[in-house]
């Protein structure tokens, strides 16, 4: 046990600490201005955030003839019975205002010849309603504009290159964070006090061997909240993007859905358009159905390809410069050749359970963006609703914090400092391969039970706090997937291929419950003394 080490040299501002430098974190910081806040980001701003890689854009019913009601209805339909309808209506209803906020922060959304916001179509949207930037450059443009605005806002202090790996608690309320320097996982941690913590750490894709997410998306934010006792909602629902480009890169570059919106088709190695037989909407069917179609072709050995040679041909580079670059750098010319693809872990619908104001079940802890679970996505996310959810909830959290009397700051916090080591690459590979193979596009009881035992053992045995956090999140996903004995939305069980109306409810769980489930399967070694100490800290 030790007391709070020196943190002054980090120059923390104010009593609100936001963890994450993606859209949710930066937008929340800007909305809180001029209140002093500190933003902690593992990667330098503009890097290591899924936001920067978004190609489609943001869904908002700003086009002629479109309406928030229609947007909410599409969101509810795609969520396979689990979307919280009140949340979907408020999300769609607040979209236009948040797009105007982004314009005021300098995001140069594309406009049509009359100067109105240009809107594109994406799968399962009943109208053209995706606002975008220079075709597929939305994410880059959003993060650049917000980074510039944040850096020019004196009330926001940004600390880059440090990551949060534990929450500090006092009297059942969040009282601060334990930080470690990136690249020095085994170094001395830093503890910073906070009266309000906003977790905006993004998704969990990097827990999977094949993913479109950056390495920072390891589910650490979700794990530290769960270790502190926060409720977690719908963790079993992970969306797999059907068209990750398979050119041996980790993470895999993405071929945006908008390509299929523009007429690109899916074929197997024999040139057959396999989605025609799978769904009436063929290539524009909901993501989970397309992902399973692609998965089946890859698993059969026929391979799967995205063919834009007829739909775009010579216009490919102009309309989809990011995808074009990814292909060309791997020696594939998408104007003339089909692109090899496979499904990849892409988006986590589940996360830290939050209410309409982004509050978690723990006093002093809010969560925004992909790390949270608001109920907006249910069992499946409608394309381009995630960036929207990030801004809508970041704004609400800022408003909520402004109107909340926060607990007093603790000047000295008793902290535990678990010894930690760098991640063992073999253990990390085991975790990522187990997630991809057993907790992936197609799941079944035996595979999930094996995964639960593997993650429980890793969580208990590893000497790396980062790997322990990764295993915690993996355990939450796998135990919930095992408990849901049906197929719904993105969660597909080969042993329960049908939807079961009796299970048409969202689930919430705690880490203690997940560990109990693991123990019942014979995989629940009691957390080691080292991990017990971490739990006490967290
Ligand atoms: C390739 C790709 C394309 C996509 N396209 C679209 C799209 O067109 N439209 C759409 O709506 N959605 C899209 N998505 C999903 C969307 O981009 C994300 O859901 C969204 O950007 C999440 O924003 P966020 O702020 O929650 O997290 P992120 O943008 O991922 O930011 C997370 C931040 O937290 C930091 N971080 C993580 N862990 C820690 C830690 N422990 N300590 C400190 N910092 C930490 C990271 O460094 C990063 O700064 C796409 C996702 C991907 C991967």
């Amino acid at each position: 046990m030790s007391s709070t080490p020196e943190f002054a040299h980090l120059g923390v501002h104010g009593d609100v600490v936001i963890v994450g430098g993606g859209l949710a974190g930066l937008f929340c910081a800007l909305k809180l201005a001029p209140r002093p806040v500190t933003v902690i980001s593992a990667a330098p701003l503009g890097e290591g955030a899924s936001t920067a890689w978004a190609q489609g854009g943001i869904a908002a019913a700003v086009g002629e003839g479109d309406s928030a009601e229609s947007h909410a209805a599409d969101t509810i339909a795609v969520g396979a019975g689990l979307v919280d309808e009140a949340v979907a209506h408020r999300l769609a209803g607040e979209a236009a205002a948040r797009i105007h906020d982004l314009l005021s922060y300098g995001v140069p959304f594309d406009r049509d010849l009359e100067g109105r916001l240009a809107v594109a179509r994406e799968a399962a949207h009943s109208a053209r309603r995706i606002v975008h930037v220079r075709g597929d450059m939305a994410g880059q443009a959003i993060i650049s504009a917000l980074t510039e605005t944040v850096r020019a806002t004196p009330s926001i202090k940004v600390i880059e290159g440090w990551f949060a790996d534990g929450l500090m608690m006092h009297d059942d309320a969040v009282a601060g964070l334990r930080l470690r320097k990136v690249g020095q996982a085994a170094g001395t941690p830093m503890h910073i006090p906070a009266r309000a913590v906003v977790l905006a750490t993004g998704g969990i894709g990097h827990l999977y061997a094949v993913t479109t997410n950056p390495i920072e998306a390891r589910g650490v934010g979700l794990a530290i909240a769960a270790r502190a006792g926060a409720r977690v909602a719908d963790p079993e629902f992970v969306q797999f993007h059907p068209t990750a480009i398979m050119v041996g890169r980790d993470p895999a570059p993405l071929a945006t859905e908008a390509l299929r919106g523009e007429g690109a088709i899916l074929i197997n190695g024999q040139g057959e358009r396999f989605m025609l037989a799978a769904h009436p909407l063929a290539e524009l069917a909901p993501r989970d159905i397309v992902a399973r179609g692609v998965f089946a072709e890859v698993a059969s050995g026929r391979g799967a390809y995205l063919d834009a040679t007829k739909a775009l041909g010579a216009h490919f580079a102009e309309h989809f410069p990011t995808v074009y670059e990814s292909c060309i750098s791997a020696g594939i010319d998408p104007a003339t050749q089909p692109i090899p693809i496979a499904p990849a872990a892409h988006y986590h619908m589940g996360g830290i359970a939050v209410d309409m104001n982004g509050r978690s079940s723990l006093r002093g802890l809010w969560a925004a963006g992909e790390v949270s679970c608001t109920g907006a996505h249910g069992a499946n996310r409608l394309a381009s609703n995630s960036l929207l959810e990030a801004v809508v909830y970041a704004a609400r959290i800022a408003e909520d914090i402004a109107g909340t009397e926060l607990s007093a700051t603790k000047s000295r916090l008793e902290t535990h400092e678990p010894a930690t080591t760098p991640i063992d690459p073999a253990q990390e590979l085991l975790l990522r391969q187990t997630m991809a193979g057993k907790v992936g596009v197609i799941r079944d009881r035996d595979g999930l039970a094996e995964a639960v035992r593997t993650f429980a053992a890793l969580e208990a045995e590893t000497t790396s706090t980062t790997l322990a956090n990764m295993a915690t999140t993996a355990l939450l996903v796998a135990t919930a997937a095992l408990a849901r004995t049906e197929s719904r939305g993105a969660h597909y069980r080969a042993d329960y291929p049908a939807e079961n109306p009796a299970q048409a409810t969202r689930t919430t769980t705690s880490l203690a419950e997940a560990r109990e489930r693991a123990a019942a399967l014979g995989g629940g070694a009691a957390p080691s003394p080292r991990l017990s100490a971490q739990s006490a800290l967290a």
Side-chain angles (χ1 to χ4, degrees):
M1 188 113 37
S2 69
S3 60
T4 312
E6 185 59 56
F7 58 83
H9 78 271
L10 283 178
V12 173
H13 270 207
D15 51 3
V16 180
V17 177
I18 298 170
V19 187
L23 179 57
L26 298 185
F27 198 85
C28 190
L30 287 168
K31 279 284 181 182
L32 276 160
R35 183 183 184 130
V37 298
T38 301
V39 174
I40 311 286
S41 180
L45 295 191
E47 295 169 28
S50 292
T51 301
W53 296 356
Q55 295 177 1
I58 307 188
V62 293
E64 217 171 305
D66 197 5
S67 69
E69 289 69 35
S70 157
H71 183 182
D74 290 346
T75 302
I76 293 163
V78 166
L82 297 196
V83 170
D84 180 325
E85 298 197 4
V87 169
H89 281 284
R90 291 181 73 173
L91 193 73
E94 291 173 24
R98 298 293 78 82
I99 296 297
H100 284 101
D101 287 340
L102 287 168
L103 286 166
S104 77
Y105 295 145
V107 178
F109 288 118
D110 290 345
R111 296 188 179 268
D112 65 17
L113 291 175
E114 276 88 45
R116 291 174 303 220
L117 285 169
V119 277
R121 182 96 188 256
E122 278 191 356
H125 281 278
S126 57
R128 294 178 79 90
R129 68 164 71 98
I130 316 302
V131 295
H132 47 86
V133 184
R134 296 192 304 279
D136 63 2
M137 302 292 284
Q140 255 317 322
I142 289 169
I143 211 80
S144 305
L146 262 59
T147 298
E148 204 173 303
T149 310
V150 161
R151 295 219 193 272
T153 305
S155 60
I156 305 174
K157 165 80 184 179
V158 181
I159 297 173
E160 291 148 291
W162 287 78
F163 69 100
D165 82 341
L167 282 172
M168 292 189 289
M169 303 296 289
H170 186 86
D171 289 344
D172 290 332
V174 171
L177 285 153
R178 184 180 65 220
L179 307 180
R180 290 185 196 273
K181 203 160 175 40
V182 172
Q184 296 178 15
T188 310
M190 190 72 69
H191 297 91
I192 58 170
R195 296 167 74 200
V197 169
V198 181
L199 288 178
T201 50
I204 66 163
H206 217 78
L207 296 180
Y208 285 83
V210 183
T211 180
T212 60
N213 291 190
I215 190 169
E216 288 76 9
R218 289 168 155 176
V220 170
L222 178 51
I224 64 176
R227 280 170 178 251
R231 301 292 299 175
V232 171
D234 304 331
E236 66 271 37
F237 294 108
V238 179
Q239 188 173 75
F240 296 88
H241 197 289
T243 56
I245 304 173
M246 295 311 283
V247 285
R249 277 169 52 188
D250 178 25
L254 179 72
T256 169
E257 203 147 43
L259 274 157
R260 280 174 280 135
E262 294 301 324
I265 55 169
L266 293 169
I267 55 171
N268 60 24
Q270 294 157 4
E272 294 157 350
R273 210 176 144 192
F274 53 87
M275 282 310 297
L276 284 175
H279 194 275
L281 289 172
E283 283 83 2
L284 294 180
R287 269 192 183 163
D288 56 303
I289 295 172
V290 181
R292 285 198 293 280
V294 172
F295 182 85
E297 295 303 315
V298 174
S300 75
R302 288 186 288 272
Y305 300 83
L306 180 67
D307 184 355
T309 54
K310 291 199 181 60
L312 288 158
H315 300 292
F316 199 114
E318 177 197 340
H319 290 293
F320 296 96
T322 309
V323 183
Y324 184 77
E325 191 43 48
S326 299
C327 293
I328 288 293
S329 63
I332 297 161
D333 181 356
T336 57
Q337 290 172 281
I339 307 165
I341 50 154
H346 185 59
Y347 182 79
H348 194 203
M349 275 74 76
I352 301 166
V354 295
D355 68 9
M356 283 280 198
N357 293 316
R359 280 180 187 231
S360 78
S361 61
L362 294 179
R363 205 150 43 93
L365 183 67
W366 284 257
E370 194 168 336
V371 73
S372 69
C373 183
T374 64
H377 309 299
N380 215 354
R381 174 190 65 132
L382 182 65
S384 289
N385 262 357
S386 38
L387 292 174
L388 174 62
E389 185 196 43
V391 284
V392 166
Y393 275 80
R396 280 166 177 242
I397 290 171
E399 208 172 296
D400 196 40
I401 289 176
T404 300
E405 197 171 317
L406 303 171
S407 339
T409 317
K410 307 290 166 297
S411 55
R412 292 187 79 76
L413 284 165
E414 291 304 310
T415 57
H416 294 271
E417 287 183 21
T420 183
T421 57
I423 292 181
D424 172 353
Q427 287 187 325
E428 184 182 20
L429 188 65
L430 172 67
L431 184 147
R432 295 185 70 198
Q433 287 185 338
T434 306
M435 283 295 273
K438 313 286 183 197
V439 198
V441 180
I442 297 181
R443 306 159 170 187
D444 65 23
R445 192 200 175 281
D446 291 349
L448 288 167
E450 189 186 323
V452 167
R453 284 190 288 269
T454 302
F455 303 145
L458 278 175
E459 200 203 22
E461 287 161 23
T462 179
T463 50
S464 151
T465 51
T466 301
L467 194 79
N469 279 326
M470 291 168 71
T472 293
T473 298
L475 185 68
L476 285 160
V477 175
T479 47
L482 182 60
R484 187 171 283 281
T485 50
E486 62 158 355
S487 291
R488 182 180 296 276
H491 168 72
Y492 186 83
R493 290 276 302 250
D495 47 350
Y496 295 97
E499 232 175 60
N500 176 354
Q503 295 187 37
T505 51
R506 298 178 59 209
T507 56
T508 69
T509 186
S510 69
L511 181 55
E513 287 159 16
R515 284 180 177 155
E516 269 169 35
R517 284 182 186 156
L521 287 169
S528 68
R530 194 188 61 73
L531 282 176
S532 302
Q534 259 184 286
S535 302
L537 162 76

